[in-house]
Amino acid sequence: MKKVKTKQMRRSLLFGSFIAFLIAISPYLFYLYENFPESKTWETSLFTLEVTNYPDVYSAAWYFVSKFIPLYLLLLWFFTCRHWWYHIILIPIAMYAFQLFHVINDDVEYIDETEIYYLIPIMFVIIPIVYIIRVKLFDKLVHGIDMKKLDQELEELDMEEEHFSK
């Protein structure tokens, strides 16, 4: 029994250390844009990158990492968060995902202007779900109301009502 617990603790420590490492390297990942050239074209032995919507490759890389790193950190937070409200993190994740898509997409003229309109339907779904979770937790913890028992009682009342109506 003790050996299993130590094995779980070791896994938890390794996983936590890996997550801490991913968070710790985020500033270094952000500043990778400084290695890109300040020209419209970047040629390497593997590929050639030419930017059209940005002044130079350096600026395009800066826009990319300024959207990617917050998305990266929010995803880490979402997948490691143990709080009941963690679904609400999906809203800023969606915002940065839309912004990153617009940075990568060459057809978009403006960046960071229309993403809020794409978020509205996502917010209409996520916010009520989080609120329902909050209400259920609040009722159970504060008022001691068990929603399963309440649902069973309502079903019994419905069955009795059906029986009397026949």
Side-chain angles (χ1 to χ4, degrees):
M1 183 76 167
K2 191 174 183 180
K3 193 173 190 176
V4 173
K5 196 171 188 175
T6 356
K7 194 173 185 179
Q8 288 174 342
M9 287 175 56
R10 189 176 307 133
R11 281 186 186 166
S12 176
L13 183 62
L14 283 173
F15 180 72
S17 299
F18 179 69
I19 296 299
F21 173 75
L22 291 176
I23 293 169
I25 65 168
S26 64
Y28 298 103
L29 294 175
F30 179 81
Y31 284 105
L32 283 176
Y33 76 89
E34 291 184 349
N35 296 317
F36 288 83
E38 292 186 30
S39 63
K40 284 282 228 190
T41 306
W42 182 32
E43 293 185 29
T44 68
S45 58
L46 301 174
F47 61 87
T48 300
L49 177 66
E50 186 173 346
V51 293
T52 55
N53 290 358
Y54 301 99
D56 49 33
V57 176
Y58 180 86
S59 299
W62 180 83
Y63 276 109
F64 179 81
V65 295
S66 70
K67 304 304 177 194
F68 176 75
I69 296 302
L71 178 62
Y72 163 78
L73 292 171
L74 284 166
L75 285 169
L76 282 174
W77 187 19
F78 177 77
F79 288 117
T80 58
C81 185
R82 294 183 182 178
H83 295 286
W84 64 267
W85 48 262
Y86 76 99
H87 289 93
I88 210 75
I89 302 170
L90 288 172
I91 295 171
I93 286 173
M95 181 188 71
Y96 277 106
F98 285 128
Q99 288 177 350
L100 185 62
F101 173 74
H102 284 125
V103 166
I104 294 170
N105 191 356
D106 287 340
D107 296 335
V108 177
E109 288 183 39
Y110 304 105
I111 299 172
D112 295 345
E113 289 189 8
T114 60
E115 289 82 8
I116 190 72
Y117 302 117
Y118 298 122
L119 284 179
I120 292 171
I122 294 170
M123 292 169 66
F124 277 138
V125 172
I126 293 174
I127 291 173
I129 290 171
V130 170
Y131 185 74
I132 289 169
I133 292 170
R134 183 209 163 276
V135 166
K136 286 187 175 190
L137 283 172
F138 187 77
D139 286 344
K140 190 169 187 170
L141 295 174
V142 175
H143 298 295
I145 299 171
D146 189 3
M147 296 304 278
K148 288 180 184 177
K149 288 182 183 178
L150 192 61
D151 287 339
Q152 287 174 348
E153 290 175 15
L154 288 173
E155 285 177 15
E156 289 173 9
L157 286 173
D158 286 341
M159 290 176 21
E160 286 177 15
E161 202 172 283
E162 287 177 15
H163 179 58
F164 286 120
S165 63
K166 289 182 181 180

